[in-house]
Amino acid sequence: MDGIEEITPADFVALLRLVCQRIAAEQDWLSELDRAIGDGDHGSSMARGWQAALDAVDALPEPLSFSAVCAAAARGFVNSAGGATGPLYATILMRGGAAVKDREMLDLGALASFFDAAGRGIRERGKSEPGDKTMLDAWLPAVAALDAARTDHKKLAEALNDAAEAAEKGAEATRHMAARLGRASRLGARSQGHIDPGAASAALLFRTFAQGVTEG
Ligand SMILES: [Mg+2]
């Protein structure tokens, strides 16, 4: 995919597969993050959810469309009972997929729309706001970086790299936040000092997209 400016449905599936592999490789680290402030299942439930999503996508008939891929992957997440985050990824894929459903290719603008619509979905479905110490704290900076890159007419790979950096910075910033949602919120100020696992896995997604488009 080196240097591409438009993503086909097949490229998109390849990127989702890379994310699935990355999440599987990092699942122990993600669960370790979750053990500090939650129930310790984030890595395993994300790995299970992504695998179910890819299994559903791999069962699709050709030719692939963005809406069919997103709907199948979302179904995989719903059926995998992937902890608290699984339903959020189902929402991400449904909302993102709806935003690009008429596209045959995704350029930077369309991809920015995908992630923006997904972010709105996370916010509504998770009833979360920025600063609550959730995946939103990685996701929204990434969306903002994509928007800025589009305004600056950057190349797709460079834009995704900006998004990944913003997401990583956002995930790191959750370390200083007190959780206001979910199991971690019961710890109150004691949740400070730990990165939110959902923000960490969201940053992995953006980093993997950036690497996938850059390295092919
Ligand atoms: Mg958990």
Side-chain angles (χ1 to χ4, degrees):
M1 277 179 247
D2 190 20
I4 60 165
E5 291 304 320
E6 290 190 311
I7 292 173
T8 65
D11 293 334
F12 189 68
V13 171
L15 291 169
L16 295 182
R17 195 179 313 282
L18 287 175
V19 173
C20 181
Q21 290 164 352
R22 184 71 179 268
I23 293 291
E26 302 283 1
Q27 67 170 304
D28 290 347
W29 173 63
L30 292 171
S31 284
E32 198 179 306
L33 293 178
D34 196 24
R35 264 194 296 281
I37 59 169
D39 56 2
D41 70 347
H42 188 67
S44 55
S45 56
M46 280 294 279
R48 202 166 54 239
W50 276 98
Q51 189 56 57
L54 263 298
D55 288 348
V57 168
D58 285 337
L60 286 174
E62 306 268 349
L64 298 173
S65 68
F66 289 112
S67 38
V69 169
C70 289
R75 235 178 10 254
F77 270 106
V78 167
N79 294 339
S80 76
T85 321
L88 288 174
Y89 273 88
T91 299
I92 286 166
L93 287 153
M94 291 309 295
R95 296 290 189 90
V100 301
K101 68 178 187 321
D102 298 324
R103 305 274 186 152
E104 285 176 16
M105 306 274 273
L106 302 185
D107 58 8
L108 173 53
L111 202 60
S113 301
F114 176 94
F115 285 117
D116 178 51
R120 291 168 199 275
I122 298 168
R123 208 165 171 162
E124 280 176 35
R125 177 82 196 239
K127 299 188 171 50
S128 51
E129 293 298 328
D132 284 348
K133 196 183 180 91
T134 70
M135 64 187 297
L136 207 54
D137 294 309
W139 203 276
L140 295 186
V143 169
L146 286 177
D147 257 345
R150 176 164 51 167
T151 305
D152 294 344
H153 305 291
K154 288 194 178 177
K155 299 279 189 199
L156 182 61
E158 199 184 346
L160 281 168
N161 197 56
D162 289 357
E165 268 175 29
E168 285 159 358
K169 232 180 253 174
E172 183 54 40
T174 65
R175 190 187 292 281
H176 310 294
M177 297 173 185
R180 289 199 287 253
L181 281 173
R183 193 180 290 259
S185 65
R186 296 182 212 158
L187 296 174
R190 279 182 296 138
S191 67
Q192 280 170 297
H194 304 281
I195 293 174
D196 177 66
S201 55
L204 284 179
L205 179 148
F206 284 101
R207 176 54 67 196
T208 306
F209 263 64
Q211 287 173 341
V213 167
T214 304
E215 295 158 16

